Amino acid sequence: MSAAGFLVVVAPVAAFVLLTSLLRPRHGDAVAPLRLAVVRAALLTGCYAVATVELLGAAGALTAPAFALAWLLFLAATVTAARLRARRAAAGDPVTAARVPALVGAATGSAAPTGGGPTHAGPADPGPTSAPGGPTPTPAGPRARLAEFRRTAGRGERLLAGTVVGVVLVELLVALLAEPNNYDSQTYHLPKVEHWVAQGGLDFWPTAIHRQVTIPPGAEYLLLHLRLLTGGDALHNLVQWAAGIGCLVAATRVVAQLGGGRRAQLLTAFLLATTPMVALQATSTQTDLVAAAWAACAGTLALDGLRRRAGWGDLLALGTATGLTALTKTSGLIAVGPLLVLWGIAQLRTAFRPPAAGPARPAAGVARTVAGSLLVLLVAAAVVGPFLARVTAEFGHPLGPPRLRESIPMERHDPASVLVNALRIGHTAFDTPLAPLRTGSAEAIMAGSRAIGVDPQDRDITFGREVFPVPAWYPDEDRVAFPLAGSLALLGAVFALARPGRISPERAGALRAYATAIVVAVVLHTAMIKWQTWGNRLLLYALVAAVPLAGLWLDALFRRRLAPGRRSVAASLAVTVLATSALAGVLALSYGFPRRLVGAGSVFTTSEWDTRFLRRPHWAEEFRWAADAVRRDGVRRIGLVQQNDNWEYPWWLLLRDAEGRPPELVALQSVLPDRPPADPSTVDAIVCTGSRAACVKLVPAGWRVEYRDYVGYALPPGR
């Protein structure tokens, strides 16, 4: 990556830092205001990134200079806004006048202005704190807050915080060292980005892999920015790593909103950070963590609506979070939907409360709530609408072709089928290395399923050709189970529904309402999404939303006054659970697949190319063999023959010319009815993956075909 490219990549980061100051809430009753500002800044930055892709894509200008200019303009606008706010605040708000210029200087690399008011940084983010009823103010500035934490935190809290920071930093190291090697990324996440770059727009293209055009592209939009600004995929893993940080920020703020103090927030961050699925996906180019982060942002914003009436900024932020969730992974809306309903009910209740001065005006309040709800939906539609419009125009349905609409959603909704689906999803999510437990529970589920007249392998409730059960306990980014975090979240939900006053005395109603929304989301998931081998990662959004309940419940357990004997047993169990969670997170980062620190396939000892093929090591040499044969003839227009789950991305890397320009890859098959494939006679060479028979069928007569196990190529006579 060039120095200029690096500086442009820093632009959105610098703008984000400034936005955290600009978007700090002005009302004094905001919970964890710094984290709320981070959520708002993330949403605004994400929305701008999406809008940039959509606008430049519509103009056919998906180019590096255009994206660089867009981010420099965004940074300039943010700096200007920060300076204007500092000037306006100079007279009446010396705290803001001192804080904003300092941030402007830090973001732009210039020295902060001196003079003109106090040099202290102003009010800091109040949480995490130890007060059970909610956060209390702490000293200003990062150093002061850190010093205050060191002074007041106990050994356990320091250990929790240190573990979270250590895990996040190790994830960052792995994310920077490891090349993208997620299976789905090789098939459709990253090829999607390369097609956009090659054609300079967002129009669909002929392809045999429908997921390249039908699956929502929100996370890939973010990858596109990095691809154009850096010229490669070296920073691609950072999108999910940043999403992991976003999940921690939003989840801990939810705890604070529900009355949890510093220890409860640290417990939540610890459980979430050490969950193997989170730790592994934070170094990946998968998309589940991005969707979970946007859904978590929607959740924490929705909880603000339980305390006060939403303003214009709140409505815009909530709509943006909803739209970004839908644009990234529509399954995330399963959690966002109940949270929006909860928000709407709370807003309606505020309409009937008398204001501080004057009589209550319920009719006006109801009208305002309805208008606000419509605005949230309109903003969400504006974010996801352009993509849905393209899908509808292509397939006649906003959810894509029938094969997509029928493969993942449940096709039976009778109570018995939903129950069986829920039991199978739960079995896979709570899987453990204990083989007798895993086998016995699976057999019991299958026997019970048959007893109530449901085939446990019924295709109407089972994805594709998958067969229940499957082992999911080992640390694989696509399927690893979360028995510890899941069990604690389940216990937290049960106690939050049954006895919320014992967990959060001052926010019992809000806690019960939030737990109800999360339980509804999980039930909806089991009623709407078929069981599948990698279903655990599809539940990641629900796990992130539910872990705050676990942190609150554990904190309440530590607060309870028990008899000495029962206290030691409870403390020992809690410490054991936390130690096991930490061990699981460490093992996931150390030995997780397909990116690990030690052992075979370590990011320190494995070459770049071999790292990309850790999922299928025997394919690495085959791809290189075919690409070398095609490149020797200097061809540029190359035909692709592949099936729905084959790897395409390696061709985009191997077939670039000496100057790094991508090849002209055209599909010789197409599942899009209105986009016919290229004629094989119009290409200079053909590369194939998967079935040899499918490849030979499309090769023109007289061409030479060479094939190995998975990869092959074909060249015309004379080459």
Side-chain angles (χ1 to χ4, degrees):
M1 180 172 60
S2 66
F6 175 79
L7 291 176
V8 176
V9 169
V10 171
V13 178
F16 173 82
V17 172
L18 279 175
L19 286 173
T20 59
S21 174
L22 290 172
L23 299 176
R24 285 283 288 265
R26 297 182 181 181
H27 48 83
D29 63 340
V31 177
L34 179 56
R35 277 172 282 174
L36 176 57
V38 170
V39 168
R40 290 174 173 178
L43 291 172
L44 181 56
T45 305
C47 186
Y48 181 81
V50 168
T52 299
V53 172
E54 291 289 356
L55 292 175
L56 293 179
L62 296 181
T63 63
F67 274 64
L69 178 61
W71 281 115
L72 291 176
L73 289 174
F74 185 66
L75 177 60
T78 307
V79 171
T80 301
R83 292 191 182 279
L84 288 175
R85 180 172 177 179
R87 290 174 185 174
R88 292 174 181 174
D93 187 359
V95 170
T96 303
R99 181 176 66 236
V100 175
L103 283 172
V104 172
T108 60
S110 60
T114 57
T119 57
H120 62 277
D125 184 27
T129 69
S130 56
T136 55
T138 57
R143 292 184 180 179
R145 289 198 297 270
L146 181 59
E148 176 69 9
F149 177 79
R150 289 176 175 173
R151 185 180 65 83
T152 61
R155 183 180 303 174
E157 291 179 338
R158 293 183 183 184
L159 184 60
L160 291 173
T163 302
V164 172
V165 173
V167 167
V168 168
L169 291 178
V170 173
E171 290 170 354
L172 176 60
L173 176 66
V174 176
L176 290 172
L177 291 179
E179 287 71 30
N181 59 1
N182 173 263
Y183 193 104
D184 284 348
S185 297
Q186 306 281 4
T187 300
Y188 69 97
H189 291 311
L190 301 186
K192 184 186 302 186
V193 175
E194 295 299 326
H195 278 286
W196 292 333
V197 173
Q199 65 188 23
L202 299 175
D203 290 340
F204 292 162
W205 53 90
T207 178
I209 304 173
H210 77 87
R211 291 176 293 172
Q212 291 183 359
V213 296
T214 58
I215 300 295
E220 290 89 339
Y221 278 2
L222 305 180
L223 293 176
L224 176 61
H225 287 265
L226 294 176
R227 167 65 177 85
L228 286 171
L229 296 178
T230 67
D233 59 15
L235 301 183
H236 278 12
N237 291 331
L238 294 185
V239 170
Q240 283 253 115
W241 178 80
I245 301 294
C247 289
L248 293 175
V249 169
T252 54
R253 184 169 187 267
V254 166
V255 174
Q257 291 171 289
L258 296 177
R262 181 170 66 193
R263 184 172 58 192
Q265 296 170 53
L266 288 173
L267 286 168
T268 298
F270 176 86
L271 289 173
L272 194 57
T274 56
T275 298
M277 177 67 77
V278 175
L280 290 170
Q281 287 230 6
T283 64
S284 168
T285 48
Q286 191 56 274
T287 63
D288 304 283
L289 207 52
V290 178
W294 295 135
C297 289
T300 188
L301 293 172
L303 281 179
D304 281 335
L306 273 62
R307 298 170 58 93
R308 56 180 174 79
R309 176 159 290 282
W312 289 106
D314 301 312
L315 297 174
L316 294 174
L318 191 55
T320 300
T322 303
L324 289 173
T325 303
L327 186 63
T328 304
K329 215 174 190 68
T330 50
S331 57
L333 293 177
I334 298 175
V336 175
L339 290 167
L340 287 179
V341 172
L342 174 62
W343 173 87
I345 293 173
Q347 291 294 292
L348 283 174
R349 290 182 61 187
T350 62
F352 293 92
R353 296 175 187 168
R361 300 176 59 189
V366 170
R368 183 176 176 179
T369 299
V370 172
S373 301
L374 291 176
L375 179 60
V376 169
L377 297 178
L378 286 174
V379 172
V383 174
V384 73
F387 168 71
L388 294 181
R390 289 193 296 273
V391 173
T392 303
E394 191 72 34
F395 301 104
H397 196 287
L399 297 181
R403 65 183 302 176
L404 178 63
R405 303 197 304 270
E406 297 170 0
S407 60
I408 297 177
M410 287 273 286
E411 297 179 80
R412 290 181 57 179
H413 298 91
D414 56 283
S417 297
V418 172
L419 175 61
V420 171
N421 195 53
L423 291 174
R424 295 183 305 165
I425 289 175
H427 179 273
T428 305
F430 291 88
D431 192 21
T432 70
L434 303 175
L437 177 61
R438 179 172 63 250
T439 302
S441 57
E443 290 177 350
I445 290 173
M446 289 190 289
S449 172
R450 297 187 185 96
I452 60 177
V454 178
D455 180 1
Q457 315 300 345
D458 186 352
R459 296 302 102 185
D460 288 342
I461 62 174
T462 306
F463 180 86
R465 300 179 180 178
E466 304 299 316
V467 177
F468 175 83
V470 294
W473 58 268
Y474 55 91
D476 183 297
E477 67 174 353
D478 283 335
R479 64 175 66 187
V480 62
F482 31 83
L484 287 175
S487 298
L488 291 173
L490 180 61
L491 287 171
V494 169
F495 282 97
L497 292 173
R499 297 187 175 181
R502 289 193 175 184
I503 298 177
S504 179
E506 297 183 11
R507 300 287 294 159
L511 175 60
R512 176 175 282 168
Y514 181 79
T516 300
I518 300 307
V519 170
V520 168
V522 173
V523 171
L524 287 175
H525 184 100
T526 61
M528 297 172 65
I529 306 296
K530 293 178 179 177
W531 176 89
Q532 48 196 282
T533 301
W534 46 89
N536 287 343
R537 66 179 180 81
L538 301 184
L539 269 172
L540 190 55
Y541 73 91
L543 179 70
V544 171
V547 165
L549 301 175
L552 286 163
W553 176 69
L554 280 175
D555 180 62
L557 190 64
F558 284 127
R559 291 200 315 265
R560 289 188 62 185
R561 296 181 179 179
L562 302 174
R566 295 178 62 187
R567 184 184 307 162
S568 10
V569 171
S572 299
L573 286 175
V575 170
T576 301
V577 168
L578 294 176
T580 305
S581 181
L583 179 62
V586 171
L587 290 177
L589 287 171
S590 301
Y591 296 98
F593 196 73
R595 291 166 303 282
R596 57 177 52 168
L597 291 173
V598 297
S602 166
V603 296
F604 296 113
T605 60
T606 308
S607 68
E608 172 190 346
W609 190 246
D610 289 337
T611 298
R612 296 181 184 276
F613 283 86
L614 284 174
R615 283 285 186 190
R616 298 291 186 271
H618 54 289
W619 291 353
E621 194 277 331
E622 292 191 25
F623 270 98
R624 193 186 294 275
W625 159 78
D628 288 342
V630 170
R631 278 205 315 265
R632 278 198 301 267
D633 289 291
V635 300
R636 292 305 300 162
R637 183 175 170 84
I638 303 170
L640 284 175
V641 178
Q642 54 196 4
Q643 288 77 58
N644 184 56
D645 205 31
N646 289 174
W647 285 18
E648 180 182 315
Y649 186 60
W651 298 127
W652 291 98
L653 300 175
L654 288 169
L655 297 175
R656 294 182 180 182
D657 62 18
E659 298 179 2
R661 292 175 299 187
E664 183 184 358
L665 291 177
V666 295
L668 302 185
Q669 310 137 290
S670 179
V671 295
L672 279 67
D674 297 329
R675 297 186 185 271
D679 188 335
S681 64
T682 65
V683 301
D684 303 321
I686 296 174
V687 291
C688 310
T689 52
S691 167
R692 176 188 175 93
C695 180
V696 173
K697 183 179 179 181
L698 292 171
V699 173
W703 284 40
R704 175 169 59 92
V705 179
E706 298 289 342
Y707 222 96
R708 291 193 176 178
D709 179 50
Y710 179 74
V711 179
Y713 68 90
L715 294 172
R719 292 198 174 190

